[in-house]
Amino acid sequence: MKFAQLNDQTILLTPATYNRIAAWRSEGDHLRCPACQAPLRLMAGISFEPYFAHPENSECAWKELDQPPDEWLAAASAEAAAAVESEEEAVKIGSFRLPKKRAITDTDSTPPADPPLYRKRLVPKQTIQHLSEKQAEPLHPAQKQAVLTTEGPLLILAGAGSGKTRVMTARTAYLIRDRGVDPRTIMVVTFTTKAAEEIKQRIGQQLPARQARELVAGTFHSIFYRMLLHHQPERWEQGRLLKKDWQKWRLLRETGALAGHEELLALKEGEVEEALGVISRWKNEYLLPHEMIERDLKSEVEKHAQQLYPLYEAAKRKHGWFDFDDMLIGCYELLREHEAIRTRYQERIRYVMIDEFQDINRIQYETVKLLAAPQNNLCVIGDDDQSIYGFRGSDPQYILGFTADFPDAQTITLEVNYRSRSSIVGLGYSLIGNNRTRWNKACKTFHQEEGETYLFYPDDEEEQASRIVDEITHQLKLGASCGEFAILYRTHESARPILERLTEARIPFHFTQEEESFYDRQTVRWVLGYLRLSLHHDDSAALKEILPTLYISQETWNTLRSQAILDDVPILHVLPKLPQWKVYQRKHLQKVVDILTECRNCTPVQALELIYEDCRLREYLKKRRKERSDTAHERGSDELQQLLAAAKRHATVEAFLRHMEDMSQKEKEWRKQQPLSGEAVHVLSIHRAKGLEFDHVFLPDLVEGALPHEYALDEVRKRGWSALEEERRLLYVAITRARHTLSIGIPQERFGRKTRPSRFVAEMGR
Ligand code: ATP
Ligand code: MG
């Protein structure tokens, strides 16, 4: 149905009113069918024109209508009603006025002269030829050749979806089944846990379970760690692993390792994190402290890292801790320095295969070379266009230089993309062709069908999430299953609204959360504290939460509480009354109380505006950021904006708070129960999606600053291109995960700021 009743108006879904969809969504139960009065759900996805859906099992005679019947329309004068636009004044809330330019409200619905297109087909710049010859075999001749070439070094260099991983699994099965090789002598390595699971599952389909289990298969870290535990269990006990940067920093400070290094002790948290990142990259490149200390380094971060590096290593050694990078170095040194152990492994491991070889770093490569010697049955498989772990020291030069390291290596290239429909392949190739440092590949597509590639332009990140989830809901109704869908994001902020909408729609999803929960972040807790206090002036926990933002010490909270009990008034009311306040302080605190009192009568968006500006929360965050320069506070202002965008969907402060508390609770529940077993939508970062494939892929936030990421744009401003090339490779990886459809979201606003479409959109399509 294309119309609905909203209060006493009839609203119509036409291209001219599509820009009001986001506002109408927040009306919830107020959207009704004029005939049967059932609540309607506004469905606005991507591949279909928006409509209002009746509840399931509804038998309403109007439910498929595009227009209300004429006689009814005449009576209701629907057209006039739909066109009503309320001209907005400056918003006045109690004694506080929000100037119109500051009011980010859901009532600002004047349609633009040119309503944005609901969706747009993205046609690749480059068309790709289809494979003309018929194929009866399960492997293409080039793939078959790769399977049969088992002895000596072999490089398989080919584009995404060309069957590299398929070749690796077929080759493993061939070695075991046809050549009688013992599975325990074959080592199969890849980079992410997900990719390793995928490979084990694919191999499991071709071999008896026992044989598949006996293979030495997994990620570098898992395989190397098993070796270390076997030979030096006491040194590598799991409990001594430093996983997070804050653990490393604590070790350095609490063991007195930095004594006498005042300049290091004075570093801000963010600077330490950056320096630790540099140290990690050096370790992956096997650059040891004594080498680095002699280098003439230019940047501040590198200079900090240079000083910190030997101290960090010494502290770890002294107290028996280790980090992830130590596992790689430890394994390499174990093999290099203990001839007996090395020989044992070299005799045991006869065949080594490495998938995603473009992401190898020096320390991993050196270790692999030791393991594969002397027979060098080393098969490396990869695509230089998919190298996306530069920040961990990986370098596509290793794959491109493989034949120089092993002059007798054979090279096989695969030219047919078997995964994706042709326009998806076309977009990928059009895009990656813009990179300068790459090995150019020929490409054909196996599939004749074009596939579907859409751009869509939601108002903001919240509406984008609704569109994606409506699309999935619509497809599920048509018979699709959850596991066919994946949402791939560049940075974590893109995931939160999507997870919220999936939760509300009760669609199961797979998601591995490693970051701190959005709802638990300090800035978010402060904002919610203010809102809670506005509804309940006696919420002493909420007041305690926000005290730092008012420059009041936590100790004062006890005084406030006892005073509130003595006077028998809500704790918020005592806030301005303490005798110790200076005049200006008392005045501001009284203002905060007045604002929070007014907030009860506001929409959540208006309430947030008042809290950010008039209670000066935004100013407080800015000051704090200057003092601390840690990443958590860098993102504080983005979090304020994300909350604003989320608040737009709710009519009252109470409803918004309920939503946030509900989501926070649900998040805790699904964090506990992940990983889900069974069919579920995949929500994962592009980095983790490597090697995987899905029927339908959504890419949210294809805007400048998100993808390409802001840090790459910074480098471009300084005329550096390598970070931008890595971002392009990331998008190439994302696009090439899709088999049938690819939907790219370009929100018009993100974090409350106007956006520009990613430069990559114009590079790949028309
Ligand atoms: P990526 O670079 O993304 O890791 P890849 O090169 O490893 O991709 P695969 O995952 O092995 O590609 O293959 C992509 C898809 O194409 C898989 O679904 C695979 O089963 C299918 N495929 C590969 N080769 C053939 C073939 N010869 N015939 C039919 N399907 C094939
Ligand atoms: Mg692969």
Side-chain angles (χ1 to χ4, degrees):
M1 189 154 106
K2 294 281 194 177
F3 57 96
Q5 191 176 326
L6 172 57
N7 304 323
D8 53 359
Q9 296 183 4
T10 299
I11 55 173
L12 293 172
L13 281 169
T14 70
T17 62
Y18 285 169
N19 63 316
R20 304 191 56 176
I21 285 176
W24 287 341
R25 282 186 197 277
S26 58
E27 297 291 345
D29 273 359
H30 295 292
L31 294 171
R32 301 234 160 213
C33 168
C36 70
Q37 288 301 311
L40 300 179
R41 169 152 182 213
L42 178 71
M43 293 284 290
I46 298 159
S47 68
F48 56 92
E49 292 293 322
Y51 64 91
F52 292 106
H54 275 74
E56 254 176 75
N57 309 327
S58 161
E59 291 181 359
C60 178
W62 285 22
K63 76 178 184 186
E64 302 296 338
L65 287 188
D66 278 355
Q67 283 276 346
D70 281 347
E71 55 288 7
W72 188 87
L73 199 61
S77 174
E79 228 164 310
V84 172
E85 297 295 343
S86 59
E87 190 44 51
E88 248 204 295
E89 298 288 312
V91 189
K92 191 161 186 301
I93 302 157
S95 48
F96 299 96
R97 277 171 76 84
L98 281 178
K100 203 174 165 199
K101 67 174 172 36
R102 231 185 67 193
I104 306 176
T105 69
D106 49 357
T107 46
D108 183 12
S109 51
T110 319
D114 229 353
L117 273 178
Y118 192 65
R119 62 166 191 274
K120 211 159 95 178
R121 187 154 224 138
L122 183 62
V123 181
K125 282 196 166 156
Q126 197 181 329
T127 24
I128 309 285
Q129 260 190 358
H130 302 304
L131 180 70
S132 48
E133 69 262 31
K134 276 269 161 288
Q135 191 186 336
E137 299 268 320
L139 290 172
H140 183 272
Q143 293 177 327
K144 197 159 185 183
Q145 187 199 347
V147 170
L148 301 181
T149 310
T150 57
E151 307 307 298
L154 172 66
L155 166 67
I156 303 175
L157 183 56
S162 59
K164 297 184 297 296
T165 304
R166 185 174 169 120
V167 162
M168 185 167 90
T169 49
R171 200 170 180 270
T172 312
Y174 169 74
L175 280 170
I176 298 170
R177 220 175 24 217
D178 299 86
R179 299 280 304 280
V181 175
D182 181 347
R184 284 170 301 182
T185 65
I186 304 177
M187 185 167 123
V188 180
V189 197
T190 187
F191 283 82
T192 62
T193 328
K194 272 212 172 248
E197 281 163 18
E198 170 99 5
I199 287 176
K200 281 186 200 164
Q201 195 213 337
R202 288 196 200 182
I203 292 178
Q205 288 164 358
Q206 300 179 38
L207 288 173
R210 185 187 53 80
Q211 288 185 324
R213 254 200 322 273
E214 282 176 350
L215 281 168
V216 185
T219 62
F220 273 117
H221 276 103
S222 72
I223 293 176
F224 288 3
Y225 187 58
R226 259 181 283 159
M227 287 163 62
L228 289 172
L229 265 189
H230 183 76
H231 296 284
Q232 304 167 334
E234 58 305 325
R235 160 106 178 73
W236 301 99
E237 188 207 317
Q238 182 114 42
R240 321 285 310 166
L241 171 64
L242 296 164
K243 289 187 182 160
K244 304 269 181 204
D245 281 349
W246 62 263
Q247 293 173 309
K248 300 177 186 175
W249 186 224
R250 210 168 73 182
L251 170 79
L252 280 166
R253 285 210 307 215
E254 291 181 3
T255 57
L258 300 183
H261 296 271
E262 296 312 317
E263 69 295 353
L264 291 178
L265 280 165
L267 288 182
K268 294 169 187 166
E269 211 176 313
E271 292 171 317
V272 174
E273 269 179 28
E274 276 188 275
L276 287 169
V278 171
I279 292 174
S280 171
R281 205 182 65 227
W282 287 341
K283 290 172 78 170
N284 280 290
E285 292 170 32
Y286 202 47
L287 299 168
L288 297 178
H290 67 268
E291 289 173 70
M292 295 318 291
I293 209 79
E294 287 162 11
R295 297 251 176 127
D296 184 19
L297 298 169
K298 294 278 175 305
S299 81
E300 276 303 302
V301 196
E302 287 183 323
K303 283 183 191 158
H304 295 152
Q306 190 175 33
Q307 281 179 287
L308 213 51
Y309 192 9
L311 303 171
Y312 171 59
E313 292 303 308
K316 265 188 301 138
R317 229 182 353 261
K318 185 167 165 200
H319 299 277
W321 293 90
F322 64 96
D323 61 24
F324 280 112
D325 310 320
D326 291 326
M327 293 187 197
L328 302 182
I329 294 183
C331 193
Y332 170 62
E333 291 180 347
L334 176 81
L335 293 173
R336 192 189 57 185
E337 279 149 30
H338 298 86
E339 198 186 341
I341 297 179
R342 182 172 69 241
T343 317
R344 232 177 81 193
Y345 279 105
Q346 288 177 340
E347 281 168 4
R348 152 109 193 252
I349 305 289
R350 311 305 295 257
Y351 294 90
V352 179
M353 279 176 258
I354 304 173
D355 201 6
E356 311 277 357
F357 188 73
Q358 71 277 359
D359 281 320
I360 198 151
N361 60 41
R362 177 159 173 223
I363 190 77
Q364 291 163 333
Y365 188 32
E366 294 302 330
T367 314
V368 163
K369 283 199 276 192
L370 286 183
L371 281 170
Q375 60 270 59
N376 290 332
N377 291 331
L378 172 61
C379 169
V380 304
I381 301 168
D383 175 7
D384 56 311
D385 289 332
Q386 295 186 63
S387 166
I388 54 175
Y389 280 103
F391 63 92
R392 279 203 324 220
S394 66
D395 189 339
Q397 292 315 315
Y398 293 117
I399 191 166
L400 298 174
F402 184 76
T403 47
D405 286 346
F406 293 91
D408 56 336
Q410 300 189 55
T411 302
I412 293 178
T413 57
L414 310 174
E415 294 184 350
V416 185
N417 182 307
Y418 284 93
R419 174 179 295 143
S420 310
R421 302 287 186 251
S422 63
S423 57
I424 298 169
V425 181
L427 289 176
Y429 271 83
S430 306
L431 174 75
I432 203 64
N434 289 281
N435 270 5
R436 288 179 224 173
T437 36
R438 67 183 288 260
W439 184 74
N440 202 9
K441 303 168 194 66
C443 179
K444 289 180 185 160
T445 71
F446 177 75
H447 297 283
Q448 304 270 342
E449 306 90 326
E450 218 179 272
E452 294 183 23
T453 46
Y454 287 123
L455 296 175
F456 65 105
Y457 299 88
D459 296 355
D460 60 13
E461 59 270 48
E462 294 286 333
E463 177 60 13
Q464 172 177 257
S466 300
R467 298 270 304 263
I468 292 175
V469 173
D470 277 3
E471 177 68 27
I472 297 176
T473 309
H474 180 81
Q475 299 297 340
L476 291 178
K477 276 194 197 161
L478 297 180
S481 57
C482 295
E484 296 167 15
F485 301 93
I487 299 148
L488 308 181
Y489 56 85
R490 169 70 181 90
T491 51
H492 273 93
E493 297 80 62
S494 300
R496 198 246 333 137
I498 295 166
L499 298 174
E500 288 189 2
R501 276 329 89 70
L502 286 169
T503 308
E504 286 167 354
R506 295 171 196 275
I507 298 177
F509 55 84
H510 294 290
F511 177 68
T512 317
Q513 173 70 284
E514 280 177 355
E515 290 239 318
E516 182 193 8
S517 156
F518 175 78
Y519 315 96
D520 286 344
R521 295 204 194 139
Q522 185 60 74
T523 314
V524 176
R525 291 215 315 263
W526 280 330
V527 173
L528 299 185
Y530 273 99
L531 289 178
R532 284 202 335 257
L533 207 48
S534 78
L535 293 185
H536 307 287
H537 291 189
D538 52 358
D539 188 334
S540 60
L543 182 66
K544 190 175 185 187
E545 184 86 76
I546 66 164
L547 283 183
T549 70
L550 299 167
Y551 304 95
I552 300 176
S553 70
Q554 291 291 346
E555 291 83 66
T556 315
W557 182 70
N558 285 329
T559 321
L560 283 166
R561 212 160 58 140
S562 23
Q563 194 63 42
I565 295 168
L566 269 180
D567 298 355
D568 194 21
V569 292
I571 192 166
L572 180 65
H573 297 182
V574 238
L575 180 65
K577 304 240 158 67
L578 293 195
Q580 66 259 45
W581 303 142
K582 303 211 168 62
V583 177
Y584 74 90
Q585 228 176 345
R586 184 185 311 281
K587 216 169 130 195
H588 180 62
L589 293 175
Q590 185 57 51
K591 191 174 165 192
V592 170
V593 175
D594 294 345
I595 291 169
L596 291 184
T597 309
E598 296 294 353
C599 280
R600 289 175 166 183
N601 309 317
C602 299
T603 67
V605 170
Q606 292 163 339
L608 291 183
E609 284 287 343
L610 289 170
I611 291 165
Y612 293 175
E613 308 304 332
D614 298 71
C615 295
R616 300 194 201 141
L617 181 60
R618 199 189 289 280
E619 188 184 299
Y620 172 76
L621 283 178
K622 216 185 254 171
K623 261 200 196 133
R624 201 178 148 97
R625 190 155 62 235
K626 265 203 197 125
E627 283 160 18
R628 320 230 333 206
S629 133
D630 57 320
T631 41
H633 290 88
E634 275 305 323
R635 63 187 184 200
S637 94
D638 285 348
E639 281 156 3
L640 295 187
Q641 296 308 117
Q642 288 180 60
L643 285 165
L644 260 180
K648 281 193 209 170
R649 300 174 54 248
H650 302 272
T652 63
V653 171
E654 204 175 353
F656 177 53
L657 267 177
R658 215 177 319 119
H659 164 79
M660 293 300 286
E661 276 158 19
D662 192 30
M663 287 302 140
S664 163
Q665 191 54 39
K666 293 248 165 57
E667 192 202 41
K668 288 195 180 81
E669 285 166 23
W670 57 250
R671 257 177 201 256
K672 261 188 250 151
Q673 57 168 269
Q674 296 283 345
L676 270 187
S677 55
E679 280 278 317
V681 171
H682 303 265
V683 185
L684 70 173
S685 69
I686 301 174
H687 281 102
R688 283 171 182 265
K690 226 166 43 126
L692 308 179
E693 58 187 21
F694 310 94
D695 286 353
H696 312 290
V697 168
F698 298 93
L699 300 181
D701 293 328
L702 216 62
V703 296
E704 292 282 293
L707 183 56
H709 194 280
E710 194 54 46
Y711 95 94
L713 297 182
D714 270 347
E715 210 192 274
V716 168
R717 281 175 213 120
K718 295 177 206 142
R719 313 209 64 74
W721 303 102
S722 65
L724 189 71
E725 296 216 335
E726 179 136 333
E727 294 291 302
R728 208 179 264 118
R729 290 195 291 268
L730 258 175
L731 180 56
Y732 173 73
V733 169
I735 291 171
T736 53
R737 297 311 95 201
R739 285 170 22 174
H740 302 200
T741 72
L742 177 70
S743 307
I744 293 176
I746 304 182
Q748 305 298 288
E749 259 185 22
R750 189 166 183 258
F751 303 155
R753 290 183 284 275
K754 286 262 165 275
T755 59
R756 275 187 302 136
S758 163
R759 63 192 66 202
F760 297 149
V761 175
E763 285 180 6
M764 62 185 165
R766 288 191 296 263

